[in-house]
Amino acid sequence: MNVRGFRWQRLVARHIGDQIFALAAKIYPICRSITGNGVRHTLYELRRHIALKIHEVPTGTAVFDWTIPREWNIRDAYIKNESGEKVVDFAKSNLHVMSYSVPVQRRISLSELKDHLYTLPGQPDLIPYRTSYYREDWAFCMAHHQFESLQDDTYDVLIDSSLTEGYLTYGEYLHKGETQDEFLFSAHICHPSLANDNCSGVALLTYLAERMAGLRTRYSYRFLFAPGTIGAITWLARNEDTTQRIKHGLVVSMVGDAGGPTYKRSRRGNTLIDRAIVHVLKHSGLEPAILDFSPYGYDERQYCSPGFNLPVGLFQRSRFGEIPQYHTSADNLDFIRPAHLSESYRLITQTLDVIENDTIYINLLPKCEPQLGRRGLYGAVGGDKDAAAANMAMLWILNLSDGVHSLLDIAERAELPFEVIRRTAERLEQYGLLRDSSGER
Amino acid sequence: MNVRGFRWQRLVARHIGDQIFALAAKIYPICRSITGNGVRHTLYELRRHIALKIHEVPTGTAVFDWTIPREWNIRDAYIKNESGEKVVDFAKSNLHVMSYSVPVQRRISLSELKDHLYTLPGQPDLIPYRTSYYREDWAFCMAHHQFESLQDDTYDVLIDSSLTEGYLTYGEYLHKGETQDEFLFSAHICHPSLANDNCSGVALLTYLAERMAGLRTRYSYRFLFAPGTIGAITWLARNEDTTQRIKHGLVVSMVGDAGGPTYKRSRRGNTLIDRAIVHVLKHSGLEPAILDFSPYGYDERQYCSPGFNLPVGLFQRSRFGEIPQYHTSADNLDFIRPAHLSESYRLITQTLDVIENDTIYINLLPKCEPQLGRRGLYGAVGGDKDAAAANMAMLWILNLSDGVHSLLDIAERAELPFEVIRRTAERLEQYGLLRDSSGER
Amino acid sequence: MNVRGFRWQRLVARHIGDQIFALAAKIYPICRSITGNGVRHTLYELRRHIALKIHEVPTGTAVFDWTIPREWNIRDAYIKNESGEKVVDFAKSNLHVMSYSVPVQRRISLSELKDHLYTLPGQPDLIPYRTSYYREDWAFCMAHHQFESLQDDTYDVLIDSSLTEGYLTYGEYLHKGETQDEFLFSAHICHPSLANDNCSGVALLTYLAERMAGLRTRYSYRFLFAPGTIGAITWLARNEDTTQRIKHGLVVSMVGDAGGPTYKRSRRGNTLIDRAIVHVLKHSGLEPAILDFSPYGYDERQYCSPGFNLPVGLFQRSRFGEIPQYHTSADNLDFIRPAHLSESYRLITQTLDVIENDTIYINLLPKCEPQLGRRGLYGAVGGDKDAAAANMAMLWILNLSDGVHSLLDIAERAELPFEVIRRTAERLEQYGLLRDSSGER
């Protein structure tokens, strides 16, 4: 069934880039990890926009091969020198503490301290982002320039954290469409103050869900905001039946920088979501990078594990790991821009336009061309600035609407944007030259 | 069944290029349109060469979504200035009058006249070719240089044309082969004095049909000379049953210039005609352009409409619309040359050679190679200048004649001309090493 | 069934290149042809290494389209000038006499002698290699420089050869594996003193067979040392039933020079042997040439004739016919090197490693990724220098071990060496994450 109301433009608003940026900026300072109050507070922010359902899964719960870990929270952390100066202060940047650091309060030598310090010698001004979720340890992260200036002193070290029985928290929002077939959007929500990775994706999907409310869609849209890896695994373990309904999906991360756009195909490689987004990116005027699936990356690793093998790809701007800002303090609010967020948002909504509107029309006058001129169809479009494209679109649609080719097939073959093909097909249908076969299937 | 008598050389004659050119030159001055006496007189010329059947279809006849229009004829036309000089005179070039111009006899100002003038500002010396088949209007076409020199005068305008109940006229010739399976050749015959587009194609096909008479062929060959679009549609509407028998086909237009050669594939894309002509063009020593099907072009648009989807491609030299002479007075007899016509003719006949002679042989000694030296087969060809190719041809044919691969398959795999493969296979058959399986299928 | 004991390293020995070279050097001086004592003496040398079965097939025996020719032997040959000097002496190089030359003892003029002399004007220092197996003739081969210096003299010519009822001789060795499925290795043994073509291949396969003795393998390995063309045809004619068991095979020739490596695919084109050796060559660090099958070359012509169509390819270093030393006296022991022989040997054994060990594993935890860190699997490999490759190997194997993809499929997809994939899969199997499905099929 083709829900004809869907137009990607309905999802776009003026200043959508600014709105997404503002939400990303709001959640940027929160110290998130794979569990804990940082995740909760972030989800509370999203709940101001959408009717997010927040799930709490107890420590120790088995999820496939994994177990929900203890909940981690942190209140304060610093390194003080003998003069009482805080040379490192968690209050200034939550990247300073390795995520899941166990509590510590000690006075130690520089030499011992150095066993618990991470720096980036090649990027000496930046603080690295480090985690130790499944091995008990503590550490601080700092700029290498500062590390080199540390005096041979005795240091007071404090990490006021806790690692206790608690919960893993994730948020879920379902936009109900005309069918129970689902489109899954997934963003990881476990990184602390990293703007692009992934405040950008979380904020973008929140606005997409918000703007989708009230819109009639063919598919139901599920938005999942969960910690990376363990969060996706937890959701999959608790929703195995639901996965049967997932027909398309995108993992969304790092969507605010100027790079890319990048799309990594699903494991299946050429499903409708793969074809739709590749088509949109190729007609975007940008220089997209289209990557084949590989089992390293974001939560598509879980969705595309062989026991699920869902048609879920990954959308990004720059490719993860290939930019110097990746997992450092340089991934801050200066690194993402409203214009890029807006562009990413538009590319995703245009992809949905393809997914929602792809259908197979039947040419009702398949023997020879119909006389378009008599109907004013050549003339009608002759005034458009896109007249030539529209004329070719008419000819392609009539030629290929044989019950086999869908609009996306035709758009690919004609090398014309899906939107031109869709609008032209709707016009030809109005003139009685085409019949939409989707109701019949 | 393989009719062994067919050799492309039998279709070629010395000076065939000159002959085709002479016929093209003879029909060049006639003022053709999609109906009218110009078409008839052209067909009468062709009937001097072949037993052409001329069909007349009355105005108003429904042909699929179309209706046969009124018949258009023109006797005279001019624009006279106040001094009585004919500044534009139909007698000098029939391109001066827009085809299907309604009759007019008026005295008008320059300003009003200009609403009825077409020029090519970018090619100021050339007269454009314009038509208005389905919208009642009148216009003159002229060189832009002349247009710019028109005085602010009062002009006597005459178009002595008629638009009346009459007929659409087309010609058809059938060469009967051993089977009822047909090869369709089609050339449009509706353009006035444009030499390449398509006096060249009409004349070439006339000579091909003439020389084919008396030749034993596997296929029956149907030659259709009809006005573009409405003519092909008319023929298809009146011959739906016949279309079942069309196994291969070529639309032939613009075959006299120095460009290309160009082949545009059928909608199906890889049928035998597509493979055969692409093979011939690749071994032609020229630099062919092989284009995928698109629904814009000549009458392959109708033959390849989804309700027919016939295996019919388009053969041209330069690609239509991509040369400055296209649809202008520069497409005159200087633009086409006997040498190019002869070359086009040869490429088409070589393509027929593939179509007629492609067959599957069976290697009768499939276990290991037969001892060719003992039979003098290496020696026999050793004297040829093409010895190395012939030796490789023998080895390829023996290796691939397994009941699956046809001669064209082998020629493609071996990257050798079909003719070398065919001759070598016939030699191997004479030596009892191969058996032609075509009779068994 | 997967015989897990197989490791290519077990086939390699220190100084294997020197050993192969020494054997090649030992058989280099022997005057071989397609029959005769030279072949026998060569096979006796090989029998010092492996339990070679030597077959004698009588002259006149029909083998498919061919007949075993008379046996040729030669004792001495020379050309003496009037001064009694031997200007050409078979004792110095057996290339001086065209193979299968009939006996002759005459005094002739220079002019008559020249009708029986072959030289290479373009390579004037080299003696060409010539044969006349199936046409009775005699000739000498010599350097063109020497030819040009021949005086207008009378010459005593002697070829003390015999062409008599006898036998065609070939050697065969079978290493029995766990199954009766066979891997065929084949080397031609009919060339006289040509070191690369094919003392190199004969010696390499002899050492491979020798080192394989006692090794447990999945496949049985058949080694065939036979004269080119007629020898392979003879073996096929006498062993048609055996050919059913041949699942993979390689013709091995010219494996001692610095060129290539070159692999010519089997007629089928993408069988396991094709994929395995192409994979090994692509990861060899060399610049391999991968050629499609063509019906010209070595004995793959017979194995890949359509009546057999065996999955047998050709492995070489330089491609035959494409090097100036080909079929000349420059193909001597200086042209082959132990290092190249050793490298060729290693590439072949690595190919066998793929063939023997390719299997389909099943991921036992297919829903989401298993927690590798908990099992120490990330850590375990973290210390390796190949840690990153091993981590990616784990992820690829787990992702693709879905019952469809074999280890070679995974290695190709991951673009990682088969050996890394195989070792990693075995480790994952030890940890209970994979199950080998090969026993079940």
Side-chain angles (χ1 to χ4, degrees):
Chain A
M1 192 197 55
N2 185 12
V3 175
R4 287 306 177 68
F6 193 94
R7 292 291 178 271
W8 68 272
Q9 290 87 346
R10 295 189 190 158
L11 292 168
V12 181
R14 277 176 68 84
H15 308 306
I16 187 79
D18 295 317
Q19 291 174 316
I20 297 169
F21 182 85
L23 177 56
K26 195 160 192 183
I27 62 177
Y28 172 73
I30 301 172
C31 182
R32 282 166 294 272
S33 182
I34 55 172
T35 62
N37 291 324
V39 174
R40 282 187 195 94
H41 291 145
T42 301
L43 295 175
Y44 297 160
E45 281 300 333
L46 310 188
R47 205 163 53 181
R48 293 170 184 266
H49 295 266
I50 51 177
L52 197 68
K53 187 167 177 190
I54 297 177
H55 301 265
E56 300 276 2
V57 187
T59 298
T61 305
V63 286
F64 296 127
D65 190 48
W66 302 61
T67 305
I68 303 293
R70 284 181 292 169
E71 180 176 329
W72 184 69
N73 283 291
I74 182 165
R75 282 153 297 275
D76 194 11
Y78 56 75
I79 302 171
K80 268 191 200 159
N81 62 16
E82 285 186 38
S83 327
E85 283 177 291
K86 287 185 180 175
V87 296
V88 166
D89 188 354
F90 173 73
K92 291 190 181 159
S93 167
N94 55 43
L95 296 181
H96 276 313
V97 177
M98 179 170 75
S99 193
Y100 261 68
S101 281
V102 295
V104 63
Q105 181 164 23
R106 290 173 54 194
R107 170 162 297 189
I108 58 180
S109 68
L110 175 62
S111 153
E112 192 182 351
L113 176 61
K114 282 186 170 179
D115 291 344
H116 293 272
L117 293 181
Y118 286 104
T119 70
L120 294 168
Q123 298 172 290
D125 293 324
L126 305 183
I127 309 167
Y129 163 56
R130 288 286 183 277
T131 70
S132 185
Y133 300 139
Y134 299 102
R135 184 177 49 84
E136 287 201 6
D137 197 2
W138 64 270
F140 286 87
C141 303
M142 64 197 300
H144 195 67
H145 277 154
Q146 188 186 10
F147 169 84
E148 289 181 310
S149 68
L150 288 178
Q151 303 297 319
D152 191 5
D153 216 346
T154 300
Y155 289 92
D156 281 316
V157 164
L158 172 84
I159 297 181
D160 180 12
S161 67
S162 61
L163 207 50
T164 60
E165 301 294 303
Y167 299 90
L168 176 141
T169 313
Y170 67 85
E172 195 175 13
Y173 172 75
L174 182 69
H175 168 86
K176 285 196 182 161
E178 300 287 322
T179 69
Q180 292 210 319
D181 289 343
E182 292 193 7
F183 191 114
L184 175 69
F185 278 110
S186 175
H188 65 280
I189 197 165
C190 49
H191 287 186
S193 294
L194 297 173
N196 202 31
D197 183 16
N198 189 23
C199 297
S200 70
V202 169
L204 184 152
L205 287 188
T206 301
Y207 269 96
L208 181 61
E210 183 179 20
R211 290 208 58 84
M212 200 176 270
L215 198 65
R216 208 173 144 217
T217 58
R218 181 199 299 207
Y219 291 100
S220 295
Y221 287 80
R222 187 175 297 275
F223 294 82
L224 180 60
F225 302 93
T229 307
I230 185 69
I233 292 170
T234 299
W235 184 84
L236 284 164
R238 291 160 56 102
N239 295 277
E240 278 199 64
D241 286 351
T242 301
T243 62
Q244 308 289 329
R245 299 204 294 269
I246 295 175
K247 305 305 178 196
H248 324 282
L250 281 179
V251 171
V252 174
S253 74
M254 292 181 36
V255 291
D257 68 294
T262 301
Y263 178 66
K264 180 175 128 181
R265 291 177 183 275
S266 74
R267 182 180 186 269
R268 296 189 198 169
N270 207 25
T271 64
L272 185 56
I273 180 63
D274 297 305
R275 292 177 56 214
I277 193 165
V278 167
H279 175 83
V280 167
L281 295 180
K282 283 189 175 166
H283 286 275
S284 66
L286 305 170
E287 294 185 0
I290 310 297
L291 312 174
D292 281 337
F293 178 77
S294 87
Y296 191 63
Y298 288 90
D299 285 332
E300 71 280 4
R301 292 164 68 156
Q302 313 309 327
Y303 302 127
C304 295
S305 59
F308 290 108
N309 198 20
L310 297 176
V312 175
L314 168 67
F315 177 75
Q316 305 195 291
R317 301 303 300 257
S318 289
R319 194 178 169 186
F320 72 91
E322 299 206 338
I323 44 171
Q325 296 86 349
Y326 183 71
H327 278 195
T328 74
S329 52
D331 182 357
N332 57 32
L333 291 172
D334 292 334
F335 184 49
I336 66 174
R337 296 266 56 85
H340 308 320
L341 290 163
S342 165
E343 191 172 54
S344 298
Y345 184 88
R346 183 175 51 75
L347 293 169
I348 289 172
T349 57
Q350 288 179 334
T351 300
L352 297 188
D353 202 279
V354 177
I355 298 275
E356 287 278 332
N357 290 305
D358 192 32
T359 190
I360 293 177
Y361 281 100
I362 309 286
N363 178 345
L364 297 173
L365 297 173
K367 291 181 176 173
C368 300
E369 294 171 2
Q371 196 176 3
L372 299 173
R374 166 161 61 85
R375 294 172 174 87
L377 279 164
Y378 270 124
V381 300
D384 289 10
K385 63 179 178 192
D386 301 320
N391 278 337
M392 282 310 293
M394 275 196 293
L395 295 176
W396 274 114
I397 292 164
L398 290 167
N399 191 269
L400 291 180
S401 289
D402 52 5
V404 173
H405 298 90
S406 78
L407 291 184
L408 180 56
D409 294 331
I410 297 170
E412 288 178 343
R413 182 77 178 76
E415 298 185 355
L416 289 170
F418 180 84
E419 197 172 358
V420 171
I421 294 292
R422 175 178 58 68
R423 275 195 279 110
T424 307
E426 286 164 2
R427 179 170 201 96
L428 291 172
E429 186 185 25
Q430 288 162 16
Y431 278 78
L433 296 173
L434 294 183
R435 172 171 55 79
D436 183 352
S437 75
S438 61
E440 304 157 25
R441 281 176 297 167
Chain B
M1 190 197 57
N2 185 11
V3 175
R4 286 307 178 66
F6 194 95
R7 292 290 177 272
W8 68 271
Q9 289 87 347
R10 296 189 189 156
L11 292 168
V12 181
R14 277 176 68 83
H15 308 306
I16 187 79
D18 294 317
Q19 292 175 315
I20 297 169
F21 182 86
L23 177 55
K26 195 161 192 181
I27 62 177
Y28 172 74
I30 302 172
C31 182
R32 283 167 293 272
S33 182
I34 55 172
T35 61
N37 291 323
V39 174
R40 282 188 195 95
H41 291 145
T42 302
L43 294 175
Y44 297 160
E45 282 300 333
L46 310 189
R47 205 164 53 181
R48 294 170 184 264
H49 296 266
I50 50 177
L52 197 67
K53 187 167 177 191
I54 297 178
H55 301 265
E56 300 276 3
V57 187
T59 298
T61 306
V63 286
F64 295 128
D65 191 48
W66 302 63
T67 306
I68 302 293
R70 284 183 291 169
E71 181 175 327
W72 184 70
N73 283 291
I74 180 164
R75 283 153 297 275
D76 194 13
Y78 57 74
I79 303 171
K80 267 190 202 159
N81 61 18
E82 285 186 37
S83 329
E85 284 177 289
K86 287 186 179 174
V87 298
V88 167
D89 187 354
F90 174 73
K92 291 193 180 155
S93 168
N94 55 42
L95 296 182
H96 276 314
V97 178
M98 179 170 75
S99 193
Y100 261 67
S101 282
V102 295
V104 63
Q105 180 164 20
R106 292 173 54 196
R107 171 164 296 190
I108 57 181
S109 68
L110 176 62
S111 154
E112 193 181 349
L113 176 61
K114 282 187 170 177
D115 292 342
H116 293 273
L117 293 181
Y118 287 104
T119 69
L120 296 168
Q123 298 171 290
D125 293 325
L126 305 184
I127 308 166
Y129 163 56
R130 288 286 183 278
T131 70
S132 184
Y133 302 137
Y134 300 102
R135 185 176 48 83
E136 287 201 7
D137 198 1
W138 63 270
F140 287 86
C141 303
M142 63 196 301
H144 196 68
H145 278 152
Q146 188 185 7
F147 169 85
E148 289 180 312
S149 68
L150 288 178
Q151 303 296 319
D152 192 5
D153 216 345
T154 301
Y155 290 91
D156 280 317
V157 165
L158 172 83
I159 297 182
D160 180 11
S161 68
S162 61
L163 207 50
T164 60
E165 301 294 303
Y167 299 90
L168 176 142
T169 313
Y170 67 86
E172 195 176 12
Y173 172 75
L174 182 68
H175 167 87
K176 284 196 183 161
E178 301 285 323
T179 69
Q180 292 210 320
D181 289 343
E182 292 193 8
F183 191 114
L184 174 69
F185 277 110
S186 176
H188 65 280
I189 197 165
C190 49
H191 288 186
S193 293
L194 298 173
N196 202 31
D197 184 15
N198 191 23
C199 296
S200 69
V202 169
L204 185 152
L205 288 187
T206 301
Y207 270 96
L208 180 61
E210 183 179 19
R211 291 207 57 83
M212 200 176 270
L215 198 66
R216 210 173 143 218
T217 58
R218 183 200 299 207
Y219 292 100
S220 295
Y221 287 81
R222 187 175 297 275
F223 294 82
L224 181 60
F225 302 93
T229 305
I230 185 69
I233 293 169
T234 299
W235 185 85
L236 284 163
R238 292 160 56 101
N239 296 277
E240 279 200 64
D241 288 350
T242 301
T243 61
Q244 309 289 329
R245 299 206 293 271
I246 295 176
K247 304 306 177 194
H248 325 282
L250 281 179
V251 172
V252 174
S253 75
M254 292 181 36
V255 291
D257 68 294
T262 301
Y263 178 66
K264 180 176 128 180
R265 292 176 183 276
S266 75
R267 183 181 186 267
R268 296 189 197 168
N270 207 26
T271 64
L272 185 56
I273 180 62
D274 299 303
R275 292 177 56 214
I277 194 165
V278 167
H279 175 83
V280 166
L281 295 180
K282 283 190 175 166
H283 285 275
S284 66
L286 304 170
E287 293 185 0
I290 310 298
L291 312 174
D292 281 338
F293 177 77
S294 87
Y296 190 62
Y298 287 90
D299 284 332
E300 70 280 4
R301 293 164 68 156
Q302 311 310 328
Y303 303 127
C304 296
S305 60
F308 290 108
N309 198 20
L310 298 176
V312 175
L314 168 67
F315 177 75
Q316 304 195 290
R317 301 304 300 259
S318 290
R319 195 178 168 187
F320 73 92
E322 299 205 338
I323 44 172
Q325 296 86 351
Y326 184 70
H327 279 195
T328 75
S329 52
D331 183 358
N332 57 32
L333 291 171
D334 292 333
F335 184 50
I336 65 174
R337 295 265 58 84
H340 309 320
L341 291 163
S342 165
E343 191 172 55
S344 298
Y345 184 87
R346 184 174 51 75
L347 294 169
I348 289 172
T349 56
Q350 288 179 334
T351 300
L352 297 188
D353 202 279
V354 177
I355 298 274
E356 286 278 333
N357 290 305
D358 192 31
T359 189
I360 294 177
Y361 281 99
I362 308 286
N363 179 345
L364 297 173
L365 296 173
K367 291 180 177 175
C368 300
E369 294 171 2
Q371 196 176 1
L372 298 172
R374 167 160 62 83
R375 294 172 174 86
L377 279 164
Y378 271 123
V381 299
D384 289 10
K385 64 182 176 190
D386 300 321
N391 279 337
M392 281 311 292
M394 277 196 291
L395 296 176
W396 274 114
I397 292 165
L398 291 167
N399 191 269
L400 291 180
S401 288
D402 52 5
V404 174
H405 298 90
S406 78
L407 291 184
L408 180 57
D409 294 331
I410 297 171
E412 288 178 343
R413 182 78 178 75
E415 297 183 356
L416 289 170
F418 179 84
E419 197 171 357
V420 170
I421 294 292
R422 176 178 58 70
R423 277 195 278 111
T424 306
E426 285 165 3
R427 179 170 201 95
L428 291 172
E429 186 185 24
Q430 288 162 14
Y431 278 79
L433 296 174
L434 294 183
R435 172 170 56 79
D436 183 352
S437 76
S438 62
E440 304 157 23
R441 282 177 294 166
Chain C
M1 189 197 58
N2 185 11
V3 175
R4 287 306 178 67
F6 193 94
R7 291 291 177 270
W8 69 272
Q9 290 87 346
R10 294 188 191 158
L11 292 169
V12 181
R14 277 176 67 83
H15 307 306
I16 187 79
D18 295 317
Q19 291 175 316
I20 296 169
F21 183 86
L23 177 55
K26 196 161 192 181
I27 62 176
Y28 172 73
I30 301 172
C31 181
R32 282 167 295 272
S33 183
I34 55 172
T35 60
N37 291 324
V39 173
R40 283 188 195 93
H41 292 145
T42 303
L43 295 175
Y44 297 161
E45 281 301 331
L46 311 189
R47 204 163 55 182
R48 293 169 186 265
H49 295 267
I50 52 178
L52 197 68
K53 186 165 176 191
I54 297 178
H55 300 266
E56 299 277 1
V57 187
T59 298
T61 305
V63 286
F64 295 127
D65 191 47
W66 302 62
T67 306
I68 302 293
R70 283 182 292 168
E71 180 175 328
W72 184 69
N73 283 290
I74 181 165
R75 281 154 297 276
D76 194 11
Y78 57 74
I79 302 170
K80 267 189 199 159
N81 61 18
E82 286 184 38
S83 328
E85 284 177 291
K86 286 186 179 175
V87 298
V88 167
D89 187 354
F90 173 73
K92 290 191 181 158
S93 167
N94 55 43
L95 297 182
H96 275 314
V97 178
M98 179 170 77
S99 193
Y100 261 69
S101 281
V102 296
V104 62
Q105 180 164 23
R106 291 172 56 193
R107 169 163 298 190
I108 57 180
S109 67
L110 175 61
S111 153
E112 192 182 349
L113 176 60
K114 281 186 170 177
D115 292 344
H116 294 272
L117 294 182
Y118 286 104
T119 69
L120 296 167
Q123 298 172 291
D125 294 324
L126 305 184
I127 309 166
Y129 163 56
R130 287 287 182 278
T131 70
S132 184
Y133 301 138
Y134 299 103
R135 184 177 50 84
E136 287 201 7
D137 197 2
W138 64 268
F140 286 87
C141 302
M142 64 197 300
H144 196 69
H145 277 153
Q146 189 186 7
F147 169 84
E148 290 180 311
S149 67
L150 287 178
Q151 304 296 320
D152 191 4
D153 216 346
T154 301
Y155 290 91
D156 280 317
V157 165
L158 172 84
I159 297 182
D160 180 12
S161 68
S162 61
L163 207 49
T164 60
E165 301 293 304
Y167 299 89
L168 175 142
T169 313
Y170 67 86
E172 195 176 12
Y173 171 75
L174 182 68
H175 167 87
K176 285 196 181 162
E178 302 284 324
T179 70
Q180 292 209 319
D181 289 343
E182 292 194 7
F183 192 114
L184 174 69
F185 277 111
S186 175
H188 65 281
I189 198 165
C190 50
H191 287 185
S193 293
L194 298 173
N196 202 31
D197 183 16
N198 191 21
C199 296
S200 70
V202 170
L204 185 152
L205 288 187
T206 301
Y207 270 95
L208 181 61
E210 182 178 20
R211 291 208 55 86
M212 200 176 269
L215 197 67
R216 209 173 143 218
T217 57
R218 183 200 296 208
Y219 291 100
S220 295
Y221 287 80
R222 187 174 298 274
F223 294 81
L224 180 60
F225 302 93
T229 306
I230 185 68
I233 292 170
T234 299
W235 185 84
L236 284 163
R238 292 159 55 101
N239 295 277
E240 279 199 64
D241 287 351
T242 301
T243 62
Q244 308 290 328
R245 299 204 294 269
I246 296 175
K247 304 306 178 195
H248 325 282
L250 281 179
V251 172
V252 173
S253 75
M254 292 182 34
V255 292
D257 69 294
T262 300
Y263 178 67
K264 180 176 127 180
R265 292 177 183 274
S266 75
R267 183 180 185 271
R268 296 189 198 169
N270 207 26
T271 64
L272 185 55
I273 180 63
D274 298 305
R275 294 176 55 213
I277 194 165
V278 166
H279 175 82
V280 166
L281 294 180
K282 284 189 174 165
H283 285 275
S284 66
L286 305 169
E287 294 184 359
I290 309 297
L291 312 173
D292 280 337
F293 178 76
S294 87
Y296 191 63
Y298 288 91
D299 285 331
E300 70 280 3
R301 293 163 68 156
Q302 312 309 327
Y303 303 128
C304 296
S305 59
F308 290 109
N309 200 18
L310 298 176
V312 174
L314 168 66
F315 177 75
Q316 306 196 290
R317 301 304 300 257
S318 290
R319 195 178 168 186
F320 73 92
E322 299 206 339
I323 44 172
Q325 296 86 350
Y326 183 70
H327 278 196
T328 73
S329 53
D331 183 357
N332 57 32
L333 291 172
D334 292 334
F335 185 50
I336 65 173
R337 296 265 57 84
H340 309 320
L341 291 163
S342 164
E343 192 172 56
S344 297
Y345 184 88
R346 182 174 53 73
L347 294 168
I348 289 173
T349 56
Q350 287 179 337
T351 300
L352 298 188
D353 202 280
V354 177
I355 298 276
E356 287 277 332
N357 290 305
D358 192 31
T359 190
I360 293 177
Y361 282 98
I362 308 286
N363 178 345
L364 297 173
L365 297 173
K367 291 180 177 174
C368 300
E369 294 172 2
Q371 196 176 3
L372 298 173
R374 167 162 61 84
R375 293 172 175 86
L377 278 165
Y378 270 124
V381 298
D384 289 10
K385 62 180 177 189
D386 300 321
N391 279 337
M392 280 311 293
M394 276 195 292
L395 295 176
W396 274 114
I397 293 164
L398 290 167
N399 191 270
L400 291 180
S401 289
D402 52 6
V404 173
H405 298 90
S406 77
L407 291 184
L408 180 57
D409 294 331
I410 298 170
E412 287 178 345
R413 182 77 178 78
E415 297 184 356
L416 289 169
F418 180 84
E419 197 171 359
V420 170
I421 294 291
R422 175 178 59 68
R423 276 195 279 110
T424 307
E426 286 165 2
R427 178 171 201 97
L428 292 172
E429 187 185 25
Q430 287 162 15
Y431 278 79
L433 295 174
L434 294 184
R435 172 170 56 79
D436 182 353
S437 75
S438 61
E440 303 157 25
R441 282 176 297 165

